[in-house]
Amino acid sequence: RETSRVECGEAVERQLVSNPARNKEYLPITGVADFNKLSAQLIFGADSPAIQESRVTTVQCLSGTGSLRVGGEFLAKHYHQRNIYLPQPTWGNHPKVFTLAGLTVQTYRYYAPATRGLDFQGLMEDLGAVPSGSVIMLHACAHNPTGVDPTPEQWEEIRKLIRSKALLPFFDSAYQGFASGSLDKDAQPVRSFVADGGELLVAQSYAKNMGLYGERVGALSIVCKSADVASKVESQLKLVIRPMYSNPPIHGATIVAAVLKDSDLFNEWTIELKEMADRIISMRQQLFDALHARGTPGDWSHIIKQIGMFTFTGLNSEQVSFMTREYHIYMTSDGRISMAGLSSKTVPHLADAIHAAVTKAV
């Protein structure tokens, strides 16, 4: 299984379909109230001071992409800085979403091809040089496309720098629980930024961690300095959403809310979610072991050091083309592969292809 929807999510869906009281009326502009409340608790923690002090406003959006777009347009209309800095590289849709929302996209160094790891020095230098008040896009966990995340210690240095320059963090949380298998661990970077009392935005997606890709279930939360500001922010978010898509869809968000508020369903989901994360981690280990057993030239430890669905293999475009031509393996030209697409049966074939590409491809 590559998603965790199959059991707890489908059980909820069957109940919803058979409920005679269920209707298809419009939702409020901000979406399902329980979904919003529970989504904020999931990412920030139920005991979050920001939630307890009513400094968080959350609106249901069209998955992670829609949440990013609503947040971007809100910033373009109301924030004093129009620059948003994205890690290089980042998810291919990020620049398009924020540009069309009205922001000016810039980049900061993130990935170091030589080590196939984090360019922490470059990242800190670039963030240290950006104008005060700029928006900084951060991947909460399982960075897409590299699979490279900062360590907890590096996250703390990043947080201190961002706060010292009064930069505004905007987190994209597409893989909570799907990276390490722990919902709390994957949310820790976001929670550390909330704990210092500063403002931030976070876009959540339930596509991966609940397998609700086609239902387009997401949320945008904005942590503000006070409850009064949060209330005003929500009213402005409604003005962004209303002419964009009027109100969000009901079905997927109702499924998520049902899972999150029922302790038995929630526990079942967390177990399934850990199974999914552990399977991907296992695929990483199996691929690394297979390459090591073949004596494939190079250091492939980055495969097990990286985390999440994706891995930057370090293969170049010529090697990727060779694998497509000779082994009928298809991946993006930058060498990124989806670990979720691997199985124990296909790992040997991929390892053979990588070995041949490294040793034979020009």
Side-chain angles (χ1 to χ4, degrees), residues 284-285 287-288 291 300-306 311 339:
R284 290 182 176 279
Q285 188 66 53
L287 179 58
F288 171 78
L291 291 170
W300 298 95
S301 62
H302 59 279
I303 291 175
I304 50 178
K305 291 177 182 175
Q306 294 171 9
T311 286
M339 300 307 298

Side-chain angles (χ1 to χ4, degrees), residues 83-131:
N83 290 323
I84 184 166
Y85 287 79
L86 311 181
Q88 180 61 38
T90 193
W91 181 45
N93 216 18
H94 276 153
K96 301 168 189 174
V97 167
F98 290 121
T99 298
L100 288 173
L103 299 175
T104 300
V105 170
Q106 311 281 356
T107 62
Y108 61 90
R109 282 174 284 176
Y110 188 87
Y111 180 70
T115 63
R116 297 169 189 173
L118 182 68
D119 182 1
F120 184 62
Q121 181 178 345
L123 179 154
M124 294 295 282
E125 288 176 358
D126 286 355
L127 293 189
V130 305

Side-chain angles (χ1 to χ4, degrees), residues 3 19 29 44 55 59 62 68 70 72 81 117 131 155 192 197 231 235 258 268 279 287 296 328 338 351 354:
T3 70
N19 183 358
I29 296 173
F44 300 130
R55 294 190 290 109
V59 293
L62 308 183
L68 294 166
V70 170
Q81 274 275 13
W155 268 120
S192 70
S231 176
S235 70
E268 181 182 341
R279 194 192 78 81
L287 179 58
T296 306
H328 304 286
S338 172
I354 292 175

Side-chain angles (χ1 to χ4, degrees), residues 140-201:
C141 64
H143 181 274
N144 180 3
T146 69
V148 174
D149 285 353
T151 65
E153 295 75 20
Q154 289 170 334
W155 268 120
E156 181 60 14
E157 292 302 308
I158 293 168
R159 185 194 65 79
K160 289 178 180 177
L161 177 59
I162 284 177
R163 292 311 194 195
S164 71
K165 290 182 61 71
L167 306 176
L168 180 62
F170 192 157
F171 282 93
D172 187 354
S173 178
Y175 303 99
Q176 186 183 357
F178 209 71
S180 70
S182 166
L183 290 160
D184 292 331
K185 182 177 180 180
D186 291 348
Q188 191 53 44
V190 177
R191 293 177 185 179
S192 70
F193 277 78
V194 177
D196 66 22
E199 296 175 316
L200 63 88
L201 294 83

